[in-house]
Amino acid sequence: MPPMNAIRPLAPALALLLLAPACQDPPAPAPAPASASTPAAPPPTASVAAPASASTPASAPTLGSFGELVRTLSEPGGEFFSDNLISNETSYLQVAGALSARPEGGVYIGVGPEQNFTYIALTRPRYAFIVDIRRDNLLQQLWYKALFEGAESRAHFLALMLGRPHDAAKAPPEGASIDEILSYTKKNSPDEKLYTETLTRVTARIEGPYGVALDGKDKQALVELTRAFFDKGLDLRFELKESSSRRYPSLGELFAATDPQGKKGGFLASDEAFRLIKRMHGEGRIVPLVGNFAGDGALPALAALLRKNGLSVSTFYVSNVEQYLLDPPVWSKWLRNVKALPAASDAVFVRCYLDQGKKHPRQMDGHRTATVLQRMGDFVEREEKSPSRSFWKISTEGVLE
């Protein structure tokens, strides 16, 4: 495996065989206001090991150093037809209740950007691996890791993310609603100095404690990523590389989203959810990888690591990735990779279906996407009998109540 900074994109002709990271169309005294990046991040954890707690028992294995896992489990990356800085799945909380009711523990696997944090907070795994074909997604996840580690609160996290000033004395208190936090954030104007501080801090963390080498292209990607959040703030939206007339949800709208019962359920909706993700990042238990779901590198290597350490997958957020893997030779490799993963008997896929003219039976009013849970084991059994040739079939068979 070459070092991460030596990874080159695959040929564009392979792009449609690769990973889709989001549901997409084919093709004390009151202190003075402080710098949003003032607090020091906690010291790095030398190895990825879970602490003793109800969901992460003391016997949880040490998997290796964070940087080593990123390097050795990843494979060469590829391109995709969108820059997925944020999700576009308005229905992502459709399964929140079902996920939160599942037993904690196990291993979470996901794809794409910030939506993973909500699913991790809901499922409370020992470890989480975020696997995406785009190296830029790995860089963004490392960017998020630095923000979580440096943030003292949800309001501070948003200030770091968006390059806004943060005054702890004036910020909403612990226990505030997400609407209060978003309203507070909107009142603060972006500051170029804070943008520069965030970018400098993140880059230093990645190359230093995280142990991931960055080349010039990586550093430029971090510049563009940080600038996008700084310039557009809570109005940032998912974008296709080719212009589209569709209006996708904004970052603020995703943070304020509700589940079918009207409950705010994103990872910033509660201090408990935020602090769980912050703690897991501080302990190196959320590991981003570059990988193709139907590839010969990341998922097979991850499967071997999990088996070696007696760990099982409990939740696998696949979004609508399979829509791009339906070519028979590619599909067979995807199925091979799923079968190789050690999975709990009740392990589930979280799938997103995008309405392109045919409405999903579970699609809610006002949404163009539907999010469903399906058993991983049932999927393998069905595919061994009759391989799927349509994403409609995949996303509608065996949907859990």
Side-chain angles (χ1 to χ4, degrees):
M1 173 65 63
M4 295 300 290
N5 63 339
I7 289 176
R8 296 183 175 86
L10 299 180
L14 294 180
L16 291 181
L17 301 182
L18 302 178
L19 184 58
C23 216
Q24 304 172 18
D25 299 296
S35 162
S37 55
T38 297
T45 302
S47 59
V48 178
S53 73
S55 59
T56 53
S59 59
T62 298
L63 302 182
S65 74
F66 179 84
E68 179 185 12
L69 290 174
V70 172
R71 291 191 301 273
T72 59
L73 297 179
S74 290
E75 62 188 83
E79 300 292 338
F80 202 67
F81 54 77
S82 60
D83 294 319
N84 299 345
L85 296 181
I86 68 170
S87 174
N88 64 357
E89 300 175 17
T90 60
S91 62
Y92 77 101
L93 290 175
Q94 186 172 356
V95 296
L99 287 177
S100 64
R102 290 175 54 76
E104 15 182 279
V107 173
Y108 169 92
I109 302 177
V111 62
E114 86 294 334
Q115 186 168 327
N116 290 283
F117 303 137
T118 293
Y119 291 156
I120 292 169
L122 289 168
T123 56
R124 309 168 303 285
R126 288 183 176 181
Y127 304 99
F129 294 86
I130 300 173
V131 185
D132 197 296
I133 193 62
R134 298 169 303 115
R135 180 164 171 84
D136 283 358
N137 191 76
L138 178 142
L139 297 172
Q140 184 172 2
Q141 290 297 337
L142 296 174
W143 183 81
Y144 270 125
K145 177 176 171 64
L147 299 189
F148 272 106
E149 290 178 355
E152 296 181 333
S153 66
R154 292 177 289 157
H156 190 202
F157 175 83
L158 285 178
L160 292 172
M161 173 191 283
L162 305 177
R164 269 61 173 171
H166 178 71
D167 184 346
K170 295 180 180 179
E174 186 170 338
S177 69
I178 182 61
D179 291 330
E180 291 173 311
I181 292 173
L182 293 175
S183 178
Y184 166 78
T185 301
K186 291 175 183 177
K187 294 177 183 178
N188 297 319
S189 301
D191 185 325
E192 283 284 347
K193 179 182 177 183
L194 300 181
Y195 156 82
T196 301
E197 288 179 358
T198 294
L199 180 60
T200 301
R201 175 189 178 82
V202 167
T203 303
R205 296 290 295 171
I206 295 173
E207 292 190 301
Y210 302 166
V212 178
L214 301 174
D215 62 14
K217 184 178 179 181
D218 292 334
K219 291 179 180 179
Q220 182 58 35
L222 287 170
V223 168
E224 294 173 2
L225 162 67
T226 309
R227 174 58 68 177
F229 279 84
F230 177 82
D231 286 346
K232 298 184 179 180
L234 293 173
D235 291 325
L236 181 66
R237 299 174 190 272
F238 167 90
E239 293 181 4
L240 296 169
K241 291 182 178 177
E242 294 185 4
S243 61
S244 169
S245 60
R246 288 200 179 92
R247 183 182 182 276
Y248 295 102
S250 69
L251 182 64
E253 290 168 344
L254 290 169
F255 284 155
T258 60
D259 67 15
Q261 286 70 48
K263 179 183 177 181
K264 309 275 187 179
F267 71 95
L268 290 181
S270 72
D271 283 300
E272 181 183 10
F274 166 75
R275 297 204 176 278
L276 184 147
I277 302 302
K278 175 179 171 63
R279 183 172 68 251
M280 288 187 66
H281 267 306
E283 295 164 353
R285 294 192 287 128
I286 300 177
V287 183
L289 305 174
V290 182
N292 174 359
F293 276 15
D296 299 321
L299 279 187
L302 178 56
L305 177 74
L306 299 183
R307 287 190 182 279
K308 177 181 177 181
N309 288 280
L311 296 168
S312 298
V313 175
S314 55
T315 306
F316 194 159
Y317 164 53
V318 292
S319 187
N320 67 328
V321 169
E322 293 152 309
Q323 188 171 349
Y324 306 90
L325 305 176
L326 289 170
D327 185 54
V330 179
W331 188 254
S332 64
K333 295 178 73 173
W334 160 237
L335 185 60
R336 174 204 66 185
N337 288 348
V338 173
K339 292 166 65 176
L341 289 168
S345 59
D346 64 344
V348 294
F349 281 127
V350 182
R351 288 190 171 102
C352 173
Y353 173 85
L354 177 67
D355 183 352
Q356 299 171 28
K358 190 174 184 180
K359 192 172 182 178
H360 194 283
R362 297 294 179 87
Q363 197 166 323
M364 301 181 294
D365 291 341
H367 295 265
R368 191 167 172 251
T369 59
T371 304
V372 297
L373 297 185
Q374 295 159 292
R375 298 272 189 221
M376 289 179 64
D378 293 347
F379 167 75
V380 170
E381 289 183 10
R382 287 193 301 270
E383 290 303 311
E384 288 181 331
K385 293 177 182 176
S386 177
S388 294
R389 292 293 176 261
S390 78
F391 189 60
W392 170 263
K393 178 176 180 289
I394 295 164
S395 64
T396 56
E397 288 189 344
V399 174
L400 300 177
E401 296 296 331

